[in-house]
Amino acid sequence: MIISGFKPDDQIFSDLTSIRAFLPVGHLSFDNYTAVFDRVPFGTFIMNSVIISVCTVVLGVIVNSMAAFALARLTFRGKTVILSIIIATLIVPFETLALPLLWWVNKLPWLDANGFSFGWLDTYQVQILPFVANAFSIYLFYQFFDSIPKELDEAATVDGAGWFHIYRKIVMPLSGPAIATVSILTFLPAWNSYLWPLMVVQSENLRPAMVGIDYFKQLNVSWGQLMAYASMITIPVLALFIAFQRAFINSIASSGVKG
């Protein structure tokens, strides 16, 4: 993909049948990369994806960790059933929920400049809020929280700490690997979201990066520009994984031992 972004379309196809497709040989230039900025508002698309992904990650970490904390540390009747129901929702594909979700978000009220209005379509919140709560993230936090000794809770309770204080000051500071893992696994689908924004967003200034790929498929497909565009929108994902790689691996390793 990266190498093809430096080649003209005719050379991309001529190199497909040989190892040259993976090598930086032939006529190489930055024409495709510069053409991307002329063809689409690349900066707007990237900024929208960053806003949507970061907000989804931050809210997701808060909401899912609090739900997992209640299931892992608090004692109340029926929490095993609740956890089972949450995990069971993982078998439901998003395509099954897309149309009902589209109907509901179009009926929800929102406070705008003119007062209350109905319908979340063509907004940032419709791309963020439906994906904050996540069953898999809750389960990952639950597994990690359950491995933290409960004696810490008892010691904090003796000192007069409440549950929220225990969550904020004790459990969360010890959960760096889990936070890193959930951040990565939340960021990826948020960044790669294509179907949902295509359904709910009409304004170009609100579209995320993945929807921008469609601009290169209109009329004659510009494969070199498409490869260049795909290479550039992959960089933030690689940067995030590299930044959290150590914590991500530690979390997976500890979860494996726990299981």
Side-chain angles (χ1 to χ4, degrees):
M1 180 180 67
I2 296 174
I3 296 300
S4 296
F6 291 98
K7 299 179 180 180
D9 288 357
D10 55 350
Q11 186 175 342
I12 292 175
F13 286 101
S14 64
D15 291 346
L16 283 179
T17 57
S18 67
I19 193 64
R20 291 171 58 90
F22 301 94
L23 301 177
V25 294
H27 179 69
L28 304 177
S29 69
F30 286 94
D31 292 346
N32 290 326
Y33 286 90
T34 57
V36 165
F37 293 91
D38 296 331
R39 188 159 184 172
V40 300
F42 181 79
T44 300
F45 290 165
I46 287 292
M47 184 56 63
N48 289 338
S49 287
V50 170
I51 293 173
I52 294 167
S53 301
V54 170
C55 290
T56 304
V57 169
V58 173
L59 294 175
V61 168
I62 295 172
V63 171
N64 296 318
S65 63
M66 294 181 71
F69 178 84
L71 293 170
R73 314 299 282 193
L74 276 63
T75 301
F76 57 91
R77 182 178 298 177
K79 71 175 186 177
T80 303
V81 176
I82 294 175
L83 180 61
S84 300
I85 294 174
I86 291 173
I87 296 175
T89 61
L90 292 172
I91 68 174
V92 182
F94 175 72
E95 289 76 11
T96 305
L97 306 174
L99 290 180
L101 184 60
L102 178 64
W103 187 86
W104 277 111
V105 296
N106 193 42
K107 297 294 183 180
L108 291 174
W110 188 258
L111 182 62
D112 61 6
N114 300 320
F116 278 105
S117 64
F118 286 87
W120 284 17
L121 299 184
D122 211 24
T123 59
Y124 278 123
Q125 66 265 19
V126 76
Q127 303 179 70
I128 298 171
L129 296 183
F131 307 100
V132 169
N134 182 273
F136 190 64
S137 297
I138 294 174
Y139 180 69
L140 280 178
F141 274 123
Y142 174 84
Q143 285 286 88
F144 199 90
F145 291 167
D146 198 41
S147 67
I148 298 175
K150 290 184 172 58
E151 288 78 6
L152 296 175
D153 300 355
E154 298 171 359
T157 303
V158 171
D159 292 336
W163 283 116
F164 185 73
H165 183 86
I166 294 172
Y167 161 80
R168 186 168 59 92
K169 294 292 187 177
I170 298 176
V171 174
M172 288 303 285
L174 295 175
S175 304
I179 294 173
T181 302
V182 169
S183 297
I184 291 175
L185 297 182
T186 304
F187 182 88
L188 288 176
W191 185 266
N192 293 330
S193 181
Y194 173 79
L195 177 61
W196 183 247
L198 202 63
M199 296 172 62
V200 299
V201 176
Q202 290 81 40
S203 300
E204 187 176 73
N205 61 335
L206 293 173
R207 289 174 178 166
M210 286 300 163
V211 177
I213 291 178
D214 281 350
Y215 283 66
F216 301 94
K217 299 177 183 178
Q218 300 170 359
L219 300 177
N220 296 324
V221 180
S222 301
W223 292 104
Q225 296 177 20
L226 182 59
M227 295 297 104
Y229 182 82
S231 299
M232 288 191 288
I233 63 177
T234 304
I235 293 175
V237 179
L238 294 177
L240 181 72
F241 183 79
I242 292 172
F244 290 101
Q245 181 180 14
R246 185 182 299 275
F248 178 78
I249 294 173
N250 289 340
S251 178
I252 294 299
S254 61
S255 299
V257 173
K258 175 67 179 175

